[in-house]
Amino acid sequence: MQFIETLKLKSKLFFLFIITTIALIGMGIIGTIHIDSMKKNIDALYFGSLVPVIELNEIIQTYHNGLASTIYQASRLEISPEQSATQIRKSLNHIIKKWKNYESHFKRDDEMEYVSYTDLEINNINKYFFKVYSIVKEGKDLSNISIRTLEKKVFTIHKVIQKLIKYEVSIANYERKKFLFHYERTKQQLGITLVFILSTLIIISL
């Protein structure tokens, strides 16, 4: 009789062990799925954090292709003052819009000083282009404009914005590397914990 009771108890304990093991494995799978899902979300945030870089690159390209290129053509009388005015105004509006979009993104305290400096430089060079716009808007050609001054201004703003781009990329990479370190460590800790619990249950059930 006692033997039968002991056998029943062992059966119950074995059943409890099986249930617990299945539950732990299920928890491990669910935990891994959630961690992987979190990683995907972080990757999405990482690529999202590169949106400001795209905006800054668009600004640089507009200074080169939308403004400098138009003024080069106008100085050689390859396009009319009316065409020049339209293209210059369109490019300036695009730059202003993209810069406002960039400023609307989250900024770190240590970044704000250089963002403010870049904003000042953009406003200064835009004043120059607005003056050029006023000239062509009056129907005057740009044959006497100083190409050297134009190139100097575009080169300066290019260098200023490139520095901001490098900062944005470095921050995005740093944040992603930091997360990946914690991600891998969390997965390892989860695996070690499950193995430890399962090993303990096996030893107890023997």
Side-chain angles (χ1 to χ4, degrees):
M1 187 71 177
Q2 189 177 359
F3 173 75
I4 294 173
E5 291 296 327
T6 302
L7 189 61
K8 286 182 179 179
L9 180 61
K10 283 189 174 181
S11 297
K12 289 179 180 178
L13 288 173
F14 179 73
F15 180 72
L16 181 62
F17 168 74
I18 294 296
I19 294 296
T20 305
T21 301
I22 293 172
L24 285 171
I25 292 173
M27 286 173 61
I29 293 172
I30 292 171
T32 302
I33 291 171
H34 279 299
I35 291 173
D36 286 337
S37 176
M38 185 170 63
K39 179 180 179 294
K40 288 179 182 178
N41 289 335
I42 291 296
D43 280 338
L45 288 173
Y46 168 73
F47 288 112
S49 68
L50 294 181
V51 169
V53 174
I54 295 172
E55 291 170 344
L56 292 172
N57 273 318
E58 279 191 43
I59 291 172
I60 289 177
Q61 290 303 315
T62 306
Y63 276 121
H64 283 285
N65 301 328
L67 291 171
S69 178
T70 297
I71 293 173
Y72 282 141
Q73 289 179 301
S75 68
R76 299 181 188 128
L77 304 179
E78 294 175 2
I79 56 177
S80 68
E82 291 78 14
Q83 290 175 307
S84 303
T86 300
Q87 186 58 40
I88 291 171
R89 185 70 205 189
K90 181 181 176 182
S91 298
L92 284 170
N93 287 341
H94 183 69
I95 288 170
I96 291 168
K97 179 182 176 181
K98 287 298 175 181
W99 179 247
K100 284 182 178 178
N101 287 344
Y102 171 76
E103 287 185 305
S104 68
H105 300 303
F106 170 77
K107 298 288 180 293
R108 296 167 178 269
D109 291 338
D110 57 347
E111 184 183 9
M112 283 307 300
E113 184 178 349
Y114 197 75
V115 171
S116 298
Y117 169 72
T118 306
D119 181 62
L120 182 64
E121 290 294 316
I122 286 177
N123 286 330
N124 286 337
I125 193 172
N126 284 354
K127 287 177 183 177
Y128 165 79
F129 284 113
F130 273 116
K131 286 180 181 177
V132 175
Y133 169 76
S134 298
I135 293 171
V136 294
K137 187 68 176 175
E138 293 172 1
K140 299 175 183 177
D141 65 61
L142 298 177
S143 57
N144 295 323
I145 194 169
S146 172
I147 298 300
R148 184 176 178 181
T149 300
L150 171 66
E151 290 177 343
K152 184 179 179 181
K153 287 184 177 294
V154 172
F155 174 77
T156 299
I157 199 65
H158 180 103
K159 188 168 62 173
V160 169
I161 296 176
Q162 274 294 344
K163 187 174 180 180
L164 203 52
I165 289 173
K166 286 180 181 179
Y167 177 85
E168 291 284 354
V169 172
S170 65
I171 288 297
N173 286 331
Y174 170 76
E175 291 294 340
R176 188 168 187 272
K177 284 179 182 178
K178 187 170 71 172
F179 167 76
L180 287 177
F181 171 77
H182 291 295
Y183 164 77
E184 294 296 337
R185 192 170 67 174
T186 301
K187 285 188 73 173
Q188 289 175 1
Q189 289 174 343
L190 178 62
I192 291 170
T193 302
L194 287 174
V195 169
F196 175 77
I197 294 173
L198 287 171
S199 300
T200 303
L201 287 172
I202 291 170
I203 290 172
I204 292 173
S205 65
L206 294 176

Short mmCIF file of all heavy atoms in Angstrom, two decimals, residues 37-59:
data_model
loop_
_atom_site.label_atom_id
_atom_site.label_comp_id
_atom_site.label_asym_id
_atom_site.label_seq_id
_atom_site.Cartn_x
_atom_site.Cartn_y
_atom_site.Cartn_z
N SER A 37 11.86 41.03 -30.88
CA SER A 37 10.94 42.08 -31.34
C SER A 37 11.45 43.45 -30.91
O SER A 37 11.38 44.42 -31.67
CB SER A 37 9.55 41.82 -30.76
OG SER A 37 8.67 42.87 -31.11
N MET A 38 11.98 43.51 -29.68
CA MET A 38 12.53 44.76 -29.18
C MET A 38 13.73 45.19 -30.02
O MET A 38 13.91 46.37 -30.32
CB MET A 38 12.94 44.60 -27.71
CG MET A 38 13.41 45.89 -27.05
SD MET A 38 13.62 45.70 -25.26
CE MET A 38 14.92 44.47 -25.19
N LYS A 39 14.54 44.22 -30.44
CA LYS A 39 15.70 44.51 -31.28
C LYS A 39 15.26 45.10 -32.62
O LYS A 39 15.86 46.06 -33.12
CB LYS A 39 16.53 43.25 -31.52
CG LYS A 39 17.76 43.49 -32.41
CD LYS A 39 18.53 42.21 -32.60
CE LYS A 39 19.72 42.45 -33.51
NZ LYS A 39 19.32 42.80 -34.89
N LYS A 40 14.20 44.53 -33.20
CA LYS A 40 13.69 45.06 -34.46
C LYS A 40 13.21 46.50 -34.30
O LYS A 40 13.42 47.34 -35.18
CB LYS A 40 12.56 44.17 -34.98
CG LYS A 40 13.03 42.82 -35.49
CD LYS A 40 11.86 41.97 -35.97
CE LYS A 40 12.34 40.60 -36.44
NZ LYS A 40 11.20 39.76 -36.86
N ASN A 41 12.55 46.75 -33.17
CA ASN A 41 12.07 48.12 -32.91
C ASN A 41 13.24 49.09 -32.78
O ASN A 41 13.19 50.22 -33.26
CB ASN A 41 11.23 48.15 -31.63
CG ASN A 41 9.88 47.48 -31.82
OD1 ASN A 41 9.38 47.39 -32.93
ND2 ASN A 41 9.30 46.98 -30.74
N ILE A 42 14.30 48.64 -32.11
CA ILE A 42 15.49 49.48 -31.95
C ILE A 42 16.15 49.72 -33.30
O ILE A 42 16.61 50.83 -33.59
CB ILE A 42 16.49 48.83 -30.96
CG1 ILE A 42 15.91 48.87 -29.55
CG2 ILE A 42 17.84 49.54 -31.00
CD1 ILE A 42 15.71 50.27 -28.99
N ASP A 43 16.18 48.67 -34.14
CA ASP A 43 16.74 48.84 -35.49
C ASP A 43 15.94 49.88 -36.28
O ASP A 43 16.49 50.69 -37.02
CB ASP A 43 16.74 47.51 -36.24
CG ASP A 43 17.91 46.64 -35.83
OD1 ASP A 43 18.91 47.18 -35.33
OD2 ASP A 43 17.83 45.41 -36.00
N ALA A 44 14.60 49.82 -36.10
CA ALA A 44 13.75 50.80 -36.77
C ALA A 44 14.05 52.21 -36.27
O ALA A 44 14.11 53.16 -37.04
CB ALA A 44 12.27 50.46 -36.55
N LEU A 45 14.26 52.32 -34.95
CA LEU A 45 14.61 53.62 -34.37
C LEU A 45 15.97 54.08 -34.87
O LEU A 45 16.20 55.27 -35.10
CB LEU A 45 14.61 53.54 -32.84
CG LEU A 45 13.24 53.43 -32.17
CD1 LEU A 45 13.42 53.19 -30.67
CD2 LEU A 45 12.43 54.68 -32.40
N TYR A 46 16.90 53.13 -35.02
CA TYR A 46 18.24 53.45 -35.51
C TYR A 46 18.17 54.06 -36.90
O TYR A 46 18.75 55.11 -37.18
CB TYR A 46 19.10 52.19 -35.52
CG TYR A 46 20.41 52.35 -36.28
CD1 TYR A 46 21.45 53.10 -35.75
CD2 TYR A 46 20.58 51.75 -37.52
CE1 TYR A 46 22.64 53.25 -36.45
CE2 TYR A 46 21.76 51.89 -38.22
CZ TYR A 46 22.78 52.64 -37.68
OH TYR A 46 23.94 52.78 -38.38
N PHE A 47 17.43 53.37 -37.79
CA PHE A 47 17.31 53.90 -39.15
C PHE A 47 16.49 55.18 -39.16
O PHE A 47 16.70 56.07 -39.97
CB PHE A 47 16.69 52.84 -40.07
CG PHE A 47 17.63 51.72 -40.38
CD1 PHE A 47 17.39 50.44 -39.89
CD2 PHE A 47 18.78 51.94 -41.13
CE1 PHE A 47 18.27 49.40 -40.16
CE2 PHE A 47 19.66 50.90 -41.40
CZ PHE A 47 19.40 49.63 -40.92
N GLY A 48 15.54 55.27 -38.22
CA GLY A 48 14.78 56.50 -38.08
C GLY A 48 15.66 57.66 -37.66
O GLY A 48 15.46 58.81 -38.07
N SER A 49 16.67 57.35 -36.84
CA SER A 49 17.57 58.41 -36.38
C SER A 49 18.48 58.90 -37.49
O SER A 49 19.15 59.92 -37.34
CB SER A 49 18.42 57.91 -35.20
OG SER A 49 19.32 56.91 -35.63
N LEU A 50 18.53 58.16 -38.60
CA LEU A 50 19.32 58.60 -39.76
C LEU A 50 18.52 59.52 -40.68
O LEU A 50 19.07 60.05 -41.64
CB LEU A 50 19.83 57.38 -40.53
CG LEU A 50 20.84 56.50 -39.78
CD1 LEU A 50 21.27 55.33 -40.67
CD2 LEU A 50 22.05 57.30 -39.33
N VAL A 51 17.23 59.68 -40.39
CA VAL A 51 16.42 60.61 -41.20
C VAL A 51 17.00 62.03 -41.18
O VAL A 51 17.08 62.68 -42.22
CB VAL A 51 14.95 60.62 -40.71
CG1 VAL A 51 14.17 61.76 -41.36
CG2 VAL A 51 14.29 59.28 -41.03
N PRO A 52 17.44 62.54 -40.00
CA PRO A 52 18.07 63.86 -39.99
C PRO A 52 19.29 63.95 -40.91
O PRO A 52 19.55 65.00 -41.50
CB PRO A 52 18.48 64.05 -38.53
CG PRO A 52 17.52 63.21 -37.77
CD PRO A 52 17.28 62.02 -38.63
N VAL A 53 20.02 62.85 -41.04
CA VAL A 53 21.19 62.81 -41.91
C VAL A 53 20.76 62.98 -43.37
O VAL A 53 21.39 63.70 -44.15
CB VAL A 53 21.98 61.50 -41.73
CG1 VAL A 53 23.11 61.39 -42.75
CG2 VAL A 53 22.52 61.39 -40.32
N ILE A 54 19.66 62.32 -43.72
CA ILE A 54 19.12 62.43 -45.09
C ILE A 54 18.72 63.88 -45.37
O ILE A 54 18.99 64.43 -46.44
CB ILE A 54 17.92 61.48 -45.27
CG1 ILE A 54 18.38 60.03 -45.16
CG2 ILE A 54 17.24 61.73 -46.62
CD1 ILE A 54 17.25 59.02 -45.12
N GLU A 55 18.07 64.51 -44.37
CA GLU A 55 17.64 65.90 -44.53
C GLU A 55 18.83 66.83 -44.71
O GLU A 55 18.82 67.72 -45.56
CB GLU A 55 16.81 66.32 -43.31
CG GLU A 55 15.45 65.63 -43.25
CD GLU A 55 14.72 65.84 -41.94
OE1 GLU A 55 15.37 66.27 -40.96
OE2 GLU A 55 13.51 65.58 -41.89
N LEU A 56 19.87 66.62 -43.90
CA LEU A 56 21.07 67.46 -44.00
C LEU A 56 21.76 67.27 -45.35
O LEU A 56 22.26 68.23 -45.95
CB LEU A 56 22.02 67.14 -42.85
CG LEU A 56 21.55 67.55 -41.46
CD1 LEU A 56 22.51 67.02 -40.39
CD2 LEU A 56 21.43 69.07 -41.34
N ASN A 57 21.81 66.03 -45.82
CA ASN A 57 22.40 65.77 -47.14
C ASN A 57 21.61 66.44 -48.26
O ASN A 57 22.19 66.94 -49.23
CB ASN A 57 22.49 64.26 -47.39
CG ASN A 57 23.76 63.64 -46.84
OD1 ASN A 57 24.84 64.21 -46.96
ND2 ASN A 57 23.64 62.50 -46.20
N GLU A 58 20.29 66.45 -48.11
CA GLU A 58 19.44 67.13 -49.10
C GLU A 58 19.74 68.62 -49.13
O GLU A 58 19.75 69.25 -50.20
CB GLU A 58 17.96 66.90 -48.79
CG GLU A 58 17.43 65.56 -49.26
CD GLU A 58 15.92 65.48 -49.17
OE1 GLU A 58 15.25 66.47 -49.53
OE2 GLU A 58 15.41 64.44 -48.74
N ILE A 59 19.98 69.20 -47.95
CA ILE A 59 20.30 70.63 -47.88
C ILE A 59 21.61 70.91 -48.61
O ILE A 59 21.71 71.86 -49.40
CB ILE A 59 20.38 71.09 -46.41
CG1 ILE A 59 18.98 71.07 -45.77
CG2 ILE A 59 20.98 72.50 -46.31
CD1 ILE A 59 18.98 71.32 -44.28
#
